[in-house]
Amino acid sequence: MIMTGTVPQYSMKWRTITLQMIGPQLALYTKEEPSKVRYLRFQYVQNNLIGLKELQIFLKNPVIVGFVRLRCIIRVPYIWLVIYQHIEKKVTNRNNNKHPQGYQAPIFIQKSNFKTYKDKVLYILNSIYDSLGGPQELSWCLHVIKNDFLQISNSLLSTTGARRFSKTQRIITYDDGIEAGVINSWITVLLNANFSLNNPLMSSNALLTDPKSNRLSDYPVTKDIMQFEQLINSNEFDAFELHSVTKKNSLYFMLQYMYQRFDLENQMGINASKFQVFSMKLQATYRDNPYHNPIHAADVVQNVFLYLSMGGAQEICRVQTFDIAGLVISAAAHDVDHPGNNNLFEIKSKSKLATLYNDQAVLENHHTATFFFLIEDEGCNIFETLRPDEINKMRKYIIDNILYTDMTKHFAFIGELKSMPDKADYDPTEKHKYDIMKALVHAADVGNPARPFELCKLWALKIVQEFFQQGDKEKAMGLEISLLCDRKTTNLGKSQIGFIDFVVLPYFDAIARILPDMSYCCDQLRQNKLQWASTVDFYEKLREETGNEKI
């Protein structure tokens, strides 16, 4: 064989030649002398093959020589193709292993004692970050890892079909949403009365630029952030608009507002940074359901705040900062990781959640457990500064508040509330205080029918949309369709009248016996009932013509 070019030349006379690729080498040997293997190494210059231009086989018999040469002529293109593909693959792999431009050698890290893998990863990345001059992309990575945005908790698992615990559904990043510092600065100004609505520097549009703003078209912005101070203190609070103005961070906003409003840092020692991380993670753990989402949670937080102030609960029950913190956190977490189905669906479908909680308050138990798993993470353990007895008290308080949002307890609870003021030992400041607090969380949860009618209608459309999605799933699974979940038979106007008459109004009438100022909700419910009555014919026609497919 002769190899010309820069590759060393070999001239050999063999009767039978076998070629075999072994790594980056070409092995040649004969049947007569298989142990005498010759390896030809290929050399690369500027990523191209230089040598191997000619291949000649010499045999002593001229006839065989001619015959073999003819076969070689036929087979050489195939051999060359195989050789070329193999060499090209090796060259590509070698190029891919080259260091990119600007590469710096790994930093030597001295042996240290790290508490967690996360601490070690952050130490390494911070060292690289400093050595590279602080690139923005790496800064973002550090931000995500430091705040555990890759995974809310090791306890939050995902399973096939029905999930026991969910991972983060959405994450606040520099690319999507709004940085926490901006919202917190808004809240500080809101609570500081020294601001002007005409100040362009405090406009949400001036503070924020969102290249993906077209995604907010579902909730068009009509109010500036500075106007929400007044709305937070009224029944006209529009959580949909707040969600839009804050770039889909309504729940985070409401939690931070309450944190600053009631000075939880100084009054309870709750760390500000940890409360911010907790607020972001809690918001992120809500799913993208039509109704049970972070917008609903923000609305419930505002409602309990309104019941404390406008409803008179803070004065009558002598509510302390500890009570307010538990109330607000319960309201914010009461539907966390809601799957968009009700308890009956979970039980009928034999979901893993139903199995886990033995068909008892399935979702309410799940919401409560998810919240406590969330604060197990050191970065958002908002109760770490409380004494052990305070932690136990807060835990029981939050568990009771969330479990009592279970609708199976609703009618029994109405009876308890009606009889409560008539008891000889009735004391709203001590013995019955926390029963009233439970009642307020549940009232806030079912209380959007007591909003002004346009808001009430919007919430009704959202919940019915979620009901219909459940009904569609039940139909597909061969299950009996739950009440109000069949889009073919449900009249929205009639369903809302029934909901006000038999569920919401009796409940608020009972609360108004304890907190007389809550009667504003009862008045609004009666007004909305009349408004819904005027829509019955419209929704009946819509049902007959479209089967509620447009809802």
Side-chain angles (χ1 to χ4, degrees):
M1 170 174 283
I2 300 177
M3 301 180 67
T4 62
T6 59
V7 181
Q9 296 186 358
Y10 296 90
S11 179
M12 307 172 64
K13 292 183 180 181
W14 291 346
R15 293 187 182 275
T16 306
I17 299 177
T18 300
L19 290 84
Q20 181 180 356
M21 297 304 300
I22 301 178
Q25 304 176 111
L26 185 65
L28 295 88
Y29 57 91
T30 68
K31 287 185 178 178
E32 292 80 4
E33 297 178 293
S35 62
K36 293 184 178 180
V37 179
R38 301 292 186 270
Y39 295 97
L40 304 183
R41 294 182 178 275
F42 300 123
Q43 296 185 5
Y44 311 115
V45 178
Q46 296 181 349
N47 302 335
N48 294 310
L49 180 65
I50 300 299
L52 202 57
K53 289 185 178 179
E54 297 178 17
L55 178 64
Q56 296 180 1
I57 300 177
F58 297 92
L59 298 174
K60 295 181 178 179
N61 193 313
V63 177
I64 296 178
V65 169
F67 177 75
V68 173
R69 283 180 177 173
L70 178 61
R71 291 192 63 186
C72 285
I73 292 172
I74 296 173
R75 294 178 61 87
V76 159
Y78 172 77
I79 295 172
W80 271 101
L81 179 62
V82 173
I83 294 173
Y84 176 79
Q85 289 178 342
H86 182 80
I87 294 173
E88 184 180 41
K89 181 179 178 181
K90 292 294 180 179
V91 172
T92 303
N93 291 341
R94 188 190 65 174
N95 289 340
N96 290 340
N97 290 331
K98 284 185 176 180
H99 297 308
Q101 187 175 5
Y103 171 82
Q104 294 190 19
I107 299 172
F108 175 74
I109 300 175
Q110 294 182 349
K111 197 171 183 180
S112 303
N113 293 324
F114 297 100
K115 291 183 179 179
T116 64
Y117 287 130
K118 172 185 166 184
D119 293 339
K120 186 170 183 179
V121 169
L122 285 172
Y123 174 79
I124 295 171
L125 289 180
N126 271 309
S127 301
I128 297 173
Y129 176 80
D130 294 336
S131 67
L132 295 178
Q136 183 178 0
E137 293 81 2
L138 190 52
S139 175
W140 180 85
C141 292
L142 286 166
H143 169 73
V144 170
I145 295 172
K146 181 179 179 181
N147 293 300
D148 294 326
F149 289 161
L150 290 175
Q151 182 178 353
I152 286 186
S153 169
N154 292 332
S155 303
L156 302 184
L157 306 176
S158 176
T159 58
T160 305
R163 298 183 301 175
R164 177 181 176 187
F165 301 115
S166 87
K167 294 182 180 180
T168 304
Q169 301 299 304
R170 292 174 307 282
I171 292 174
I172 297 177
T173 69
Y174 297 135
D175 302 319
D176 185 3
I178 175 173
E179 291 188 56
V182 177
I183 290 182
N184 292 337
S185 67
W186 280 349
I187 295 168
T188 301
V189 174
L190 280 178
L191 295 173
N192 180 359
N194 298 320
F195 69 86
S196 169
L197 292 177
N198 298 320
N199 183 359
L201 294 178
M202 292 312 301
S203 165
S204 60
N205 293 326
L207 283 170
L208 292 177
T209 56
D210 185 3
K212 303 173 184 176
S213 58
N214 60 312
R215 298 184 307 164
L216 304 175
S217 57
D218 286 347
Y219 313 115
V221 179
T222 58
K223 293 182 177 65
D224 190 85
I225 191 71
M226 290 300 113
Q227 295 176 273
F228 276 91
E229 167 69 355
Q230 182 178 354
L231 292 178
I232 288 172
N233 289 277
S234 80
N235 194 39
E236 296 179 358
F237 174 75
D238 188 342
F240 296 100
E241 279 193 307
L242 180 63
H243 201 62
S244 178
V245 172
T246 57
K247 308 303 182 188
K248 299 189 176 184
N249 292 290
S250 54
L251 180 56
Y252 178 85
F253 179 94
M254 288 305 302
L255 283 170
Q256 292 303 308
Y257 180 89
M258 297 302 162
Y259 180 84
Q260 294 191 32
R261 174 99 183 203
F262 295 105
D263 194 17
L264 298 185
E265 183 172 23
N266 293 319
Q267 295 297 319
M268 291 188 62
I270 297 178
N271 180 271
S273 298
K274 292 196 174 185
F275 196 80
Q276 289 175 20
V277 174
F278 159 75
S279 301
M280 286 189 278
K281 289 184 178 181
L282 183 69
Q283 175 179 260
T285 315
Y286 273 86
R287 305 193 199 182
D288 238 349
N289 301 312
Y291 181 86
H292 291 102
N293 54 39
I295 308 174
H296 168 61
D299 186 67
V300 174
V301 170
Q302 191 272 345
N303 252 339
V304 295
F305 168 70
L306 200 62
Y307 300 159
L308 286 172
S309 56
M310 189 171 166
Q314 188 169 3
E315 181 179 354
I316 291 175
C317 299
R318 296 180 186 174
V319 177
Q320 304 300 313
T321 304
F322 182 94
D323 308 321
I324 294 172
L327 197 66
V328 167
I329 291 168
S330 301
H334 83 283
D335 272 333
V336 63
D337 195 40
H338 197 292
N341 314 306
N342 61 22
N343 281 335
L344 184 58
F345 176 86
E346 298 295 324
I347 295 169
K348 289 192 300 183
S349 64
K350 296 179 172 59
S351 72
K352 293 189 181 298
L353 282 177
T355 302
L356 179 65
Y357 296 113
N358 301 311
D359 296 348
Q360 303 298 313
V362 175
L363 295 179
E364 290 71 30
N365 275 300
H366 173 59
H367 304 322
T368 309
T370 301
F371 164 75
F372 284 106
F373 276 120
L374 181 65
I375 63 171
E376 280 184 356
D377 288 346
E378 183 180 352
C380 60
N381 184 3
I382 54 178
F383 299 143
E384 67 175 358
T385 59
L386 300 183
R387 300 190 310 269
D389 62 313
E390 291 177 325
I391 292 175
N392 292 335
K393 182 180 179 180
M394 180 65 77
R395 176 176 167 79
K396 184 180 184 307
Y397 184 25
I398 292 173
I399 290 174
D400 287 346
N401 287 343
I402 297 179
L403 291 186
Y404 264 80
T405 61
D406 180 7
M407 287 302 297
T408 62
K409 296 180 171 68
H410 177 81
F411 295 102
F413 206 15
I414 291 177
E416 291 180 28
L417 293 173
K418 282 183 177 179
S419 62
M420 190 180 293
D422 299 329
K423 293 180 178 179
D425 60 349
Y426 172 63
D427 183 1
T429 64
E430 287 292 339
K431 183 172 182 178
H432 296 100
K433 177 198 282 189
Y434 291 108
D435 289 331
I436 296 173
M437 295 301 103
K438 287 188 296 188
L440 294 184
V441 174
H442 183 47
D445 187 23
V446 300
N448 54 61
R451 298 286 189 189
F453 183 71
E454 288 305 315
L455 283 172
C456 162
K457 181 180 176 182
L458 182 55
W459 282 114
L461 288 168
K462 294 293 183 183
I463 188 62
V464 168
Q465 182 184 352
E466 193 168 295
F467 282 169
F468 287 167
Q469 288 181 2
Q470 175 178 318
D472 294 342
K473 285 186 284 188
E474 290 171 330
K475 184 177 180 180
M477 297 170 68
L479 302 173
E480 181 182 356
I481 300 178
S482 301
L483 180 67
L484 301 179
C485 293
D486 191 344
R487 65 174 71 246
K488 302 296 183 182
T489 62
T490 301
N491 180 300
L492 178 61
K494 288 181 179 179
S495 69
Q496 292 305 301
I497 292 173
F499 187 58
I500 290 174
D501 269 343
F502 298 106
V503 178
V504 187
L505 187 54
Y507 187 76
F508 276 91
D509 278 338
I511 292 179
R513 294 197 65 212
I514 300 170
L515 305 172
D517 289 344
M518 289 284 289
S519 59
Y520 76 89
C521 293
C522 304
D523 296 339
Q524 187 65 59
L525 284 166
R526 292 184 172 89
Q527 293 179 29
N528 289 346
K529 178 185 171 183
L530 296 175
Q531 291 273 59
W532 281 117
S534 67
T535 68
V536 171
D537 292 340
F538 169 79
Y539 284 111
E540 185 63 22
K541 183 178 179 182
L542 184 66
R543 183 191 66 80
E544 292 175 352
E545 292 179 352
T546 68
N548 285 324
E549 292 294 337
K550 294 184 178 179
I551 295 181

